[in-house]
């Protein structure tokens, strides 16, 4: 009988007496002790790392823990009762969960996060028994089982030779020279049957007109918490975040004193050390996600990224925070550390295509998440509050994949109220067969669907893969980085315009920059499964995210939705104020290039206070309206009258909108 496998006899007896007492007997000492001990346990040992527990030390005991760790003690706390349990379970190490970063230690302590410790011990030790042993101690406030996280994808990547586009006829002219941009229907969907027989023009993120205004700013950093990103990839290298102090410093030394050694492009929190993107069993998930956010644009290579710049070293940057390796996910200790690292080292957007199953026991509400994934929850709160590297935003923005369980609710953390949860749609603009939907879901983006049209194989999301490769993947994992990339592009535009937002303001801006999906949710859809589309109505989030609308809302320009195909009469007063306004519209202006983008063959005309136009193609453009403010005639010279003013609007042309005009 080894001590690393069993507790001491006296301790075991007392715990068993407390924890096997009848819970209903709340009046007995045993019942009260049982409740107090069990009440300290966070989550369960199901799907938890063996040989590891997270301890939340109380205020009276934390100084002893800190003193022991600072003196180099790795297996003892300096407190006799705690040390007895550590000895009995065969503890191999005890360390602070959130590392000391002297630049930000005050913020960490203000949130009470310095009280979290990780204890490791023999994996043969019974995990539940060890947890109860710690929970019985007065010095320990909470004991959390270290739950494992999983990626939100449902298939392995399909690596492709980019000569795949050789047989494609380009239906439109593309702004960038990246040769595979025509295959990225999720950016520009022309309804091309070469992509899918069911592709619908306009079922995309409407990024093409947005790229005319902004392509990405180096001061915006997106942390990809995922598998490691291949920072050597020719289509990513120029847009990687680089820790210059570590790159130019001494190997094996924490040159910038942030608590990590050799963290040049980010850090490996799965197996602590430098990033390991080239492991043989990795799927390339992190590299694929990163490419959607910021693959380098206009470099005549591969694919484009949503915020990848214009080819002039101006795209947003990617920080790699690795929590998966060799197809295995780390525990929440690694994800919590990765989130703290991203906040402390310059990221302003947290891109997270991972989580738990939508029906995970013990995670049915936000309160459950706050209690049962406590360390990770605190880290997310920390990021939202202290990730202030972007001058356009007063904190950090967090984006999660809603999950691929085909369940009528998002999984956690995505479902948590303060985070943005992303559902997925396909080239036909309809919900992907795998996507979660319903409570906790906030917005929809392209995720692909390999089953939509297997004959082409082009219905998935094309992006970068490790070792200089490219390939297709599906999932809310792939939808999520579209929203992160669009958010980064919007912040880049805000920097250009000198605009600033609170995190809450910016979340509201993103979630209202959408097009309708509900109008088409009738009947069924055939994919891997038969979907009853009515089940998804009102449950995919606010709508499908629209990049151009995001930029227009950053700019302060009102967006006017119109339908493609028919003549539209737009009452401009509906977009200027309420009631009968003292304004007269005299003329409308639209550039020839914008008319061509929307397939408008005849110039828009003024009829009363209405604009009459007909769009034959989905897209977006700027329209300028000349108005007389006050009266019906303009003043000036010898004439007294109203003021001539010009007001701009954005026209968003899409196949269909909700009955309320598209503002969901």
């Amino acid at each position: 009988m080894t001590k690393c496998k069993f507790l001491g006899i006296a301790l075991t007896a007392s715990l068993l007496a407390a924890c096997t007492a009848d819970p209903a007997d709340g009046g007995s000492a045993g019942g009260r002790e049982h409740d107090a001990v069990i009440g300290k346990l966070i989550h369960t040992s199901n799907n938890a790392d063996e040989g590891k527990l997270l301890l939340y030390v109380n205020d009276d005991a934390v100084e002893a823990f800190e003193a022991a760790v600072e003196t180099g003690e790795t297996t003892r706390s300096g407190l006799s009762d705690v040390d007895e349990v550590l000895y009995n379970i065969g503890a191999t190490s005890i360390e602070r969960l959130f590392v000391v970063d002297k630049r930000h230690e005050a913020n960490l302590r203000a949130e009470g996060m310095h009280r979290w410790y990780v204890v490791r011990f023999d994996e043969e030790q019974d995990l539940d028994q060890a947890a109860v042993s710690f929970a019985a101690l007065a010095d320990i406030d909470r004991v959390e089982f270290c739950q494992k996280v999983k990626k939100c994808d449902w298939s392995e990547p399909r690596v492709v030779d980019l000569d795949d586009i050789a047989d494609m006829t380009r239906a439109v002219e593309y702004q960038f020279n990246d040769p595979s941009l025509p295959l990225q229907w999720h950016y520009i969907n022309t309804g091309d049957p070469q992509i899918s027989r069911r592709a619908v023009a306009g079922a995309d993120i409407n990024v093409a007109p947005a790229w005319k205004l902004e392509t990405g700013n180096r001061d915006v950093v997106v942390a990809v918490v995922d598998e490691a990103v291949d920072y050597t990839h020719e289509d990513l290298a120029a847009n990687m975040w680089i820790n210059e102090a570590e790159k130019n410093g001494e190997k094996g030394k924490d040159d910038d004193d942030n608590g990590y050694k050799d963290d040049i492009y980010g850090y490996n929190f799965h197996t602590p050390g430098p990033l390991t993107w080239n492991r043989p069993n990795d799927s390339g998930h992190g590299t694929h996600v990163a490419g959607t956010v910021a693959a380098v644009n206009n470099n005549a290579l591969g694919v484009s990224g949503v915020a990848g710049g214009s080819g002039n070293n101006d795209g947003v940057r990617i920080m790699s925070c690795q929590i998966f390796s060799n197809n295995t996910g780390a525990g929440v200790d690694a994800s919590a550390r990765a989130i703290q690292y991203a906040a402390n080292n310059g990221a302003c957007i947290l891109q997270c295509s991972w989580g738990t199953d939508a029906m995970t026991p013990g995670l049915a509400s936000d309160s459950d998440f706050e209690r049962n994934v406590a360390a990770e929850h605190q880290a997310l709160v920390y990021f939202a509050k202290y990730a202030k590297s972007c001058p356009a935003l007063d904190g950090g923005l967090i984006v999660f994949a809603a999950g691929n369980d085909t369940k009528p609710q998002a999984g956690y953390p995505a479902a948590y109220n303060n985070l943005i949860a992303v559902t997925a749609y396909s080239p036909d603009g309809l919900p992907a067969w795998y996507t979660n939907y319903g409570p906790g879901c906030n917005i929809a983006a392209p995720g692909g669907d390999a089953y939509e049209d297997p004959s082409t194989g082009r219905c998935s999301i094309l992006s970068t893969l490790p070792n200089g490769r490219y390939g297709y993947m599906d999932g809310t994992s792939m939808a999520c980085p579209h929203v992160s990339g669009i958010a980064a592009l919007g912040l880049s535009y805000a920097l250009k315009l000198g605009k600033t937002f609170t995190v809450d303001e910016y979340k509201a801006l993103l979630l209202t920059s959408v097009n309708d999906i509900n109008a088409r949710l009738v009947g069924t859809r055939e994919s891997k499964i038969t979907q009853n589309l009515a089940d998804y109505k009102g449950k995919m989030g606010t709508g499908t995210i629209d990049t151009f609308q995001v930029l227009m809302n950053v700019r302060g320009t009102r967006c006017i939705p119109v339908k493609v195909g028919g003549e539209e009469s737009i009452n401009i007063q509906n977009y200027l104020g309420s009631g009968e306004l003292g304004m007269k519209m005299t003329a409308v202006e639209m550039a020839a290039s914008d008319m061509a983008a929307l397939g408008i063959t005849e110039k828009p005309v003024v009829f009363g206070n209405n604009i009459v136009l007909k769009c034959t193609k989905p897209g977006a453009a700027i329209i300028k309206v000349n108005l007389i403010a006050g009266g019906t005639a303009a003043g000036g010279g010898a004439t007294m009258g109203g003021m001539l003013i010009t007001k701009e609007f954005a026209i968003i042309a899409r196949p269909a909108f909700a009955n309320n005009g598209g503002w969901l």
Side-chain angles (χ1 to χ4, degrees), residues 410-490:
Y412 278 93
Y416 190 63
N417 185 255
N418 292 327
L419 316 180
I420 294 177
V422 185
T423 59
Y425 67 84
S426 302
D428 58 4
L430 298 174
W433 70 268
Y434 50 79
T435 188
N436 289 347
Y437 56 98
C441 298
N442 302 122
I443 200 164
D449 188 344
Y451 291 92
E452 181 173 302
D453 193 346
S455 64
T456 68
R458 295 169 175 171
C459 301
S460 303
I461 304 300
L462 180 63
S463 187
T464 47
L465 288 173
N467 295 305
R469 299 175 302 163
Y470 299 84
Y472 290 102
M473 296 185 80
D474 292 338
T476 56
S477 276
M478 284 58 252
C480 187
H482 284 85
V483 175
S484 295
I486 293 167
L489 198 66

Side-chain angles (χ1 to χ4, degrees), residues 145-164:
F145 292 95
C146 193
Q147 295 289 309
K148 298 174 184 176
V149 298
K150 69 165 190 172
K151 293 175 287 187
C152 291
D153 61 350
W154 65 268
S155 65
E156 290 298 309
R158 183 170 65 84
V159 180
V160 295
D161 184 338
L162 292 188
D163 288 339
D164 185 38

Side-chain angles (χ1 to χ4, degrees), residues 1-264:
M1 180 182 294
T2 61
K3 292 194 179 216
C4 68
K5 292 185 180 179
F6 300 98
L7 297 172
I9 295 175
L11 182 59
T12 302
S14 64
L15 288 171
L16 289 177
C19 296
T20 58
D22 185 355
D25 187 16
S28 70
R32 289 192 299 272
E33 186 176 352
H34 168 274
D35 290 345
V37 171
I38 299 304
K40 289 185 179 181
L41 299 180
I42 298 176
H43 222 283
T44 71
S45 58
N46 293 332
N47 191 44
D49 275 339
E50 297 289 344
K52 183 192 296 182
L53 288 167
L54 308 183
L55 309 179
Y56 196 61
V57 181
N58 69 26
D59 281 325
D60 295 331
V62 71
E63 288 187 13
F65 271 75
E66 289 179 338
V69 170
E70 286 176 6
T71 59
E73 177 57 65
T74 58
T75 60
R76 297 295 178 265
S77 69
L79 299 169
S80 58
D81 56 347
V82 177
D83 288 344
E84 182 178 357
V85 176
L86 291 170
Y87 174 73
N88 284 325
I89 65 173
T92 57
S93 69
I94 182 168
E95 61 183 359
R96 221 172 77 160
L97 170 58
F98 297 104
V99 303
V100 176
D101 182 337
K102 294 178 181 178
R103 305 166 302 172
H104 305 284
E105 180 68 7
N107 294 337
L108 196 80
R109 288 180 175 273
E111 302 302 317
M113 293 166 66
H114 65 296
R115 293 166 55 189
W116 281 106
Y117 278 79
V118 183
V119 59
R120 291 179 173 82
F121 45 90
D122 192 319
E123 291 188 5
E124 294 183 19
Q125 168 66 47
D126 184 276
L127 194 58
D128 289 295
Q129 193 176 42
V132 170
S133 301
F134 282 116
L137 303 177
D139 293 319
I140 307 300
D141 280 355
R142 284 176 279 174
V143 180
E144 180 171 347
F145 292 95
C146 193
Q147 295 289 309
K148 298 174 184 176
V149 298
K150 69 165 190 172
K151 293 175 287 187
C152 291
D153 61 350
W154 65 268
S155 65
E156 290 298 309
R158 183 170 65 84
V159 180
V160 295
D161 184 338
L162 292 188
D163 288 339
D164 185 38
I165 66 167
D167 62 337
M168 285 191 65
T169 302
R170 291 197 175 206
V172 298
E173 288 297 321
Y174 293 86
Q175 181 173 346
F176 300 136
N177 62 12
D178 307 293
S180 292
L181 181 53
L183 289 171
Q184 294 181 285
W185 62 265
H186 32 109
Y187 297 163
I188 305 168
N189 192 341
T190 63
D192 191 341
Q194 296 174 102
I195 295 293
S196 168
R197 58 186 170 80
R198 300 198 310 209
V200 172
D204 55 37
I205 62 169
N206 198 23
V207 72
W211 279 337
K212 296 176 182 177
L213 302 172
E214 180 59 56
T215 57
N217 186 299
R218 308 296 284 170
D219 290 335
V220 179
V221 177
V222 179
V224 173
V225 184
D226 208 296
E227 282 183 2
V229 176
D230 177 1
Y231 50 83
T232 69
H233 197 294
E234 61 182 355
D235 227 357
L236 290 171
N239 283 348
M240 290 300 299
W241 170 84
I242 298 175
N243 185 341
E244 296 291 348
E246 294 292 332
K247 182 179 180 180
N248 301 315
E250 181 181 340
K251 187 175 181 179
K253 178 184 177 182
D254 182 10
D255 297 285
D256 59 350
D257 209 24
N258 72 347
Y260 296 94
K261 301 173 183 177
D262 303 328
D263 55 316
I264 298 174

Side-chain angles (χ1 to χ4, degrees), residues 527-580:
S527 182
K528 186 177 182 181
I529 61 175
T530 299
Q531 298 167 265
N532 179 12
L533 294 175
D535 292 343
Y536 299 84
K537 203 158 198 172
K539 298 177 182 177
M540 289 291 286
T542 55
T544 61
I545 192 165
D546 187 301
T547 315
F548 189 71
Q549 286 192 48
V550 170
L551 266 58
M552 288 299 98
N553 285 325
V554 167
R555 179 166 160 170
T557 296
R558 186 73 184 270
C559 297
I560 301 176
V562 300
K563 293 180 181 179
V564 171
E567 187 173 87
E568 291 277 312
S569 181
I570 304 165
N571 186 342
I572 203 66
Q573 290 205 144
N574 293 337
Y575 301 94
L576 291 171
S578 60
E580 191 68 26

Side-chain angles (χ1 to χ4, degrees), residues 326-350:
N326 266 1
N327 238 5
T328 62
V332 293
D333 58 332
S335 61
R337 281 175 167 166
I339 294 164
Q340 177 212 12
Y341 177 91
N344 286 352
N345 290 282
C348 63
I349 296 174
L350 201 68

Side-chain angles (χ1 to χ4, degrees), residues 560-636:
I560 301 176
V562 300
K563 293 180 181 179
V564 171
E567 187 173 87
E568 291 277 312
S569 181
I570 304 165
N571 186 342
I572 203 66
Q573 290 205 144
N574 293 337
Y575 301 94
L576 291 171
S578 60
E580 191 68 26
L581 303 181
M583 293 187 186
K584 180 182 179 181
M585 183 163 53
T586 61
V588 59
E589 301 173 8
M590 196 172 195
S593 58
D594 282 346
M595 290 176 58
L598 298 182
I600 298 175
T601 57
E602 296 182 8
K603 287 187 176 182
V605 297
V606 173
F607 185 77
N609 269 338
N610 286 20
I611 300 171
V612 180
L613 52 73
K614 182 178 179 179
C615 301
T616 62
K617 296 194 299 188
I622 297 293
I623 193 167
K624 293 183 179 180
V625 177
N626 297 327
L627 300 156
I628 298 173
T632 59

